[in-house]
Coordinates of all heavy atoms in Angstrom, one line a residue:
V28 N -8.2 12.8 -16.1 CA -7.9 11.7 -15.1 C -6.8 12.2 -14.1 O -5.8 12.7 -14.5 CB -7.4 10.4 -15.9 CG1 -7.0 9.4 -14.9 CG2 -8.4 9.9 -16.8
V29 N -7.1 12.0 -12.9 CA -6.2 12.4 -11.8 C -5.5 11.1 -11.3 O -6.1 10.1 -11.0 CB -6.9 13.1 -10.6 CG1 -5.8 13.4 -9.5 CG2 -7.6 14.4 -11.1
I30 N -4.1 11.2 -11.3 CA -3.4 10.0 -10.8 C -2.7 10.4 -9.4 O -2.1 11.4 -9.3 CB -2.3 9.6 -11.8 CG1 -2.9 9.3 -13.1 CG2 -1.5 8.4 -11.2 CD1 -1.9 8.9 -14.2
L31 N -3.0 9.5 -8.4 CA -2.5 9.8 -7.1 C -1.2 9.0 -6.8 O -1.2 7.8 -6.8 CB -3.6 9.3 -6.1 CG -5.0 9.9 -6.2 CD1 -5.9 9.4 -5.2 CD2 -4.9 11.4 -6.2
G32 N -0.1 9.8 -6.6 CA 1.2 9.2 -6.3 C 1.5 9.2 -4.8 O 0.7 9.8 -4.0
G33 N 2.6 8.6 -4.5 CA 2.9 8.4 -3.1 C 3.7 9.5 -2.4 O 4.2 9.3 -1.2
G34 N 4.0 10.6 -3.1 CA 4.8 11.7 -2.5 C 4.1 12.3 -1.3 O 2.9 12.3 -1.1
A35 N 4.9 13.0 -0.4 CA 4.4 13.6 0.8 C 3.5 14.7 0.5 O 2.7 15.1 1.4 CB 5.6 14.1 1.6
S36 N 3.5 15.3 -0.7 CA 2.5 16.4 -1.0 C 1.1 15.9 -1.1 O 0.2 16.7 -1.2 CB 3.0 17.1 -2.2 OG 2.8 16.3 -3.4
L37 N 0.9 14.6 -1.2 CA -0.5 14.1 -1.2 C -1.1 14.1 0.2 O -0.8 13.2 0.9 CB -0.5 12.7 -1.8 CG -1.9 12.1 -2.1 CD1 -2.6 12.9 -3.2 CD2 -1.9 10.6 -2.4
T38 N -1.8 15.1 0.5 CA -2.4 15.2 1.8 C -3.9 14.8 1.8 O -4.5 14.7 0.8 CB -2.3 16.7 2.3 OG1 -3.1 17.5 1.5 CG2 -0.9 17.1 2.3
A39 N -4.4 14.6 3.0 CA -5.8 14.2 3.1 C -6.7 15.3 2.6 O -7.8 15.1 2.0 CB -6.2 14.0 4.6
K40 N -6.3 16.6 2.7 CA -7.1 17.7 2.2 C -7.2 17.6 0.7 O -8.2 17.8 0.1 CB -6.5 19.0 2.6 CG -7.2 20.3 2.1 CD -6.5 21.6 2.6 CE -7.3 22.8 2.0 NZ -6.6 24.0 2.4
V41 N -6.0 17.4 0.0 CA -6.0 17.3 -1.4 C -6.9 16.1 -1.9 O -7.6 16.2 -2.9 CB -4.5 17.1 -1.9 CG1 -4.5 16.8 -3.4 CG2 -3.7 18.4 -1.6
V42 N -6.8 15.0 -1.2 CA -7.6 13.8 -1.6 C -9.1 14.1 -1.5 O -9.9 13.7 -2.3 CB -7.2 12.6 -0.7 CG1 -8.1 11.4 -0.9 CG2 -5.8 12.2 -1.0
R43 N -9.5 14.8 -0.4 CA -10.9 15.2 -0.3 C -11.3 16.1 -1.4 O -12.4 16.0 -2.0 CB -11.1 16.0 1.0 CG -11.1 15.0 2.3 CD -11.7 15.8 3.5 NE -11.0 16.9 3.8 CZ -10.0 17.0 4.7 NH1 -9.5 15.8 5.2 NH2 -9.3 18.1 5.0
Q44 N -10.5 17.0 -1.8 CA -10.8 17.9 -3.0 C -11.0 17.1 -4.2 O -11.9 17.3 -5.0 CB -9.6 18.9 -3.2 CG -9.8 19.9 -4.3 CD -8.7 20.9 -4.4 OE1 -7.7 20.8 -3.6 NE2 -8.8 21.8 -5.3
I45 N -10.1 16.1 -4.5 CA -10.3 15.3 -5.7 C -11.5 14.4 -5.6 O -12.2 14.2 -6.6 CB -9.0 14.4 -5.8 CG1 -7.8 15.3 -6.1 CG2 -9.2 13.4 -6.9 CD1 -6.5 14.6 -5.9
A46 N -11.8 13.9 -4.4 CA -13.0 13.1 -4.2 C -14.3 13.9 -4.6 O -15.2 13.3 -5.2 CB -13.1 12.6 -2.8
I47 N -14.3 15.1 -4.2 CA -15.5 16.0 -4.5 C -15.6 16.2 -6.0 O -16.7 16.1 -6.6 CB -15.4 17.3 -3.7 CG1 -15.6 17.0 -2.2 CG2 -16.5 18.3 -4.2 CD1 -15.3 18.2 -1.3
A48 N -14.4 16.5 -6.6 CA -14.4 16.7 -8.0 C -14.9 15.5 -8.8 O -15.6 15.5 -9.8 CB -13.0 17.1 -8.5
R49 N -14.5 14.3 -8.3 CA -15.0 13.0 -8.9 C -16.5 12.9 -8.8 O -17.2 12.5 -9.7 CB -14.2 11.9 -8.3 CG -14.6 10.5 -8.9 CD -13.9 9.4 -8.2 NE -14.4 8.1 -8.6 CZ -15.5 7.5 -8.1 NH1 -16.2 8.1 -7.1 NH2 -15.9 6.3 -8.5
Q50 N -17.0 13.2 -7.6 CA -18.4 13.1 -7.3 C -19.2 14.0 -8.3 O -20.3 13.6 -8.7 CB -18.7 13.4 -5.9 CG -18.3 12.4 -4.9 CD -18.6 12.8 -3.4 OE1 -18.7 14.0 -3.2 NE2 -18.6 11.8 -2.5
R51 N -18.6 15.1 -8.6 CA -19.2 16.1 -9.5 C -18.9 15.8 -11.0 O -19.2 16.6 -11.8 CB -18.8 17.5 -9.1 CG -19.4 17.8 -7.7 CD -18.9 19.2 -7.3 NE -19.5 19.5 -6.0 CZ -19.3 20.7 -5.3 NH1 -18.5 21.6 -5.8 NH2 -19.9 20.9 -4.1
D52 N -18.3 14.6 -11.2 CA -18.0 14.1 -12.6 C -17.0 15.0 -13.3 O -17.1 15.2 -14.5 CB -19.3 14.0 -13.4 CG -19.1 13.0 -14.5 OD1 -18.3 12.1 -14.4 OD2 -19.8 13.2 -15.6
R53 N -16.1 15.7 -12.6 CA -15.1 16.5 -13.2 C -13.9 15.7 -13.6 O -13.0 16.2 -14.4 CB -14.7 17.6 -12.3 CG -15.8 18.6 -12.0 CD -15.3 19.6 -11.0 NE -16.4 20.6 -10.7 CZ -16.3 21.5 -9.7 NH1 -15.3 21.5 -8.9 NH2 -17.3 22.3 -9.5
C54 N -13.7 14.5 -13.0 CA -12.5 13.7 -13.3 C -12.8 12.2 -12.9 O -13.7 11.9 -12.2 CB -11.3 14.2 -12.5 SG -11.5 14.1 -10.7
R55 N -11.9 11.4 -13.4 CA -11.8 10.0 -13.0 C -10.4 9.9 -12.2 O -9.6 10.8 -12.4 CB -11.8 9.0 -14.2 CG -13.1 9.1 -15.0 CD -14.2 8.5 -14.3 NE -15.0 9.5 -13.6 CZ -15.9 9.3 -12.7 NH1 -16.2 8.1 -12.3 NH2 -16.6 10.3 -12.1
V56 N -10.3 8.8 -11.4 CA -9.1 8.8 -10.5 C -8.4 7.4 -10.6 O -9.1 6.4 -10.5 CB -9.5 9.1 -9.1 CG1 -8.3 9.0 -8.1 CG2 -10.2 10.5 -9.0
I57 N -7.1 7.4 -10.7 CA -6.3 6.2 -10.6 C -5.5 6.3 -9.3 O -4.7 7.3 -9.2 CB -5.4 6.0 -11.8 CG1 -6.2 5.8 -13.1 CG2 -4.5 4.8 -11.6 CD1 -5.4 5.7 -14.3
A58 N -5.6 5.3 -8.4 CA -4.8 5.3 -7.2 C -3.6 4.4 -7.5 O -3.7 3.3 -8.1 CB -5.6 4.7 -6.1
V59 N -2.4 4.8 -7.1 CA -1.2 4.0 -7.3 C -0.7 3.5 -5.9 O -0.5 4.2 -5.0 CB 0.0 4.9 -7.9 CG1 1.3 4.1 -8.0 CG2 -0.5 5.4 -9.3
N60 N -0.6 2.2 -5.8 CA -0.1 1.5 -4.6 C -0.9 2.0 -3.4 O -2.1 1.9 -3.3 CB 1.4 1.7 -4.5 CG 2.2 1.1 -5.7 OD1 1.7 0.1 -6.3 ND2 3.3 1.6 -6.0
D61 N -0.1 2.5 -2.4 CA -0.7 2.8 -1.0 C -1.7 3.9 -1.1 O -2.5 4.0 -0.1 CB 0.4 3.2 -0.1 CG 1.3 2.0 0.3 OD1 2.2 1.6 -0.5 OD2 1.2 1.5 1.4
T62 N -1.8 4.6 -2.2 CA -2.8 5.7 -2.2 C -4.2 5.2 -2.2 O -5.2 5.9 -1.9 CB -2.6 6.6 -3.4 OG1 -2.8 5.9 -4.6 CG2 -1.3 7.3 -3.4
V63 N -4.4 3.9 -2.4 CA -5.7 3.2 -2.3 C -6.3 3.4 -0.9 O -7.5 3.4 -0.7 CB -5.6 1.8 -2.8 CG1 -4.9 0.9 -1.8 CG2 -7.0 1.2 -3.0
Y64 N -5.4 3.5 0.1 CA -5.9 3.6 1.5 C -6.5 5.0 1.7 O -7.3 5.1 2.6 CB -4.7 3.3 2.5 CG -4.3 1.9 2.5 CD1 -3.2 1.4 1.9 CD2 -5.1 0.9 3.1 CE1 -2.8 0.1 1.9 CE2 -4.8 -0.4 3.2 CZ -3.6 -0.8 2.6 OH -3.3 -2.1 2.6
L65 N -6.0 6.0 1.0 CA -6.6 7.3 1.1 C -7.8 7.5 0.2 O -8.7 8.3 0.4 CB -5.5 8.4 0.8 CG -4.3 8.6 1.7 CD1 -3.4 9.6 1.2 CD2 -4.8 8.9 3.1
A66 N -7.7 6.8 -0.9 CA -8.8 6.9 -2.0 C -9.3 5.6 -2.3 O -9.2 5.1 -3.5 CB -8.2 7.6 -3.2
W67 N -10.0 4.9 -1.4 CA -10.6 3.6 -1.6 C -11.7 3.7 -2.6 O -12.1 2.7 -3.2 CB -11.1 3.0 -0.3 CG -12.1 4.0 0.4 CD1 -11.7 4.9 1.4 CD2 -13.4 4.2 0.2 NE1 -12.8 5.6 1.8 CE2 -13.9 5.2 1.0 CE3 -14.4 3.6 -0.7 CZ2 -15.2 5.6 1.1 CZ3 -15.7 4.0 -0.6 CH2 -16.1 5.0 0.2
W68 N -12.2 4.9 -2.9 CA -13.3 5.2 -3.8 C -12.8 5.4 -5.2 O -13.6 5.7 -6.1 CB -14.1 6.4 -3.4 CG -13.2 7.5 -2.9 CD1 -12.8 7.8 -1.6 CD2 -12.4 8.4 -3.7 NE1 -11.9 8.8 -1.5 CE2 -11.6 9.2 -2.8 CE3 -12.3 8.6 -5.0 CZ2 -10.8 10.2 -3.2 CZ3 -11.4 9.6 -5.5 CH2 -10.6 10.4 -4.6
A69 N -11.5 5.4 -5.5 CA -11.0 5.6 -6.8 C -11.5 4.7 -7.8 O -12.1 3.6 -7.5 CB -9.4 5.5 -6.8
D70 N -11.4 5.0 -9.1 CA -11.9 4.2 -10.2 C -11.0 3.1 -10.5 O -11.5 2.0 -11.1 CB -12.2 5.1 -11.4 CG -13.1 6.2 -11.2 OD1 -14.3 6.0 -11.1 OD2 -12.6 7.4 -11.0
W71 N -9.7 3.2 -10.2 CA -8.8 2.3 -10.8 C -7.6 2.2 -9.8 O -7.2 3.2 -9.2 CB -8.3 2.8 -12.1 CG -7.4 1.9 -13.0 CD1 -6.4 1.1 -12.6 CD2 -7.5 1.9 -14.4 NE1 -5.9 0.5 -13.7 CE2 -6.6 0.9 -14.8 CE3 -8.3 2.5 -15.4 CZ2 -6.3 0.6 -16.2 CZ3 -8.1 2.2 -16.7 CH2 -7.1 1.3 -17.1
L72 N -7.1 1.0 -9.6 CA -5.9 0.8 -8.7 C -4.8 0.2 -9.6 O -5.1 -0.9 -10.2 CB -6.2 -0.1 -7.5 CG -4.9 -0.7 -6.8 CD1 -4.1 0.4 -6.2 CD2 -5.4 -1.7 -5.8
H73 N -3.6 0.8 -9.7 CA -2.5 0.1 -10.4 C -1.4 -0.1 -9.5 O -0.9 0.9 -8.8 CB -2.1 0.9 -11.6 CG -0.9 0.3 -12.4 ND1 -1.1 -0.8 -13.2 CD2 0.4 0.5 -12.3 CE1 0.0 -1.3 -13.6 NE2 1.0 -0.5 -13.1

């Protein structure tokens, strides 16, 4: 499970990489707070 936090190191490039890994069923994804705007496709929002 990949958890997306709000730090500046979370870039659009990193989010795309995670999105592809999720599409290929390598991981599930939890978006925290504002990261839902970068990863609206995530499995979970907390």
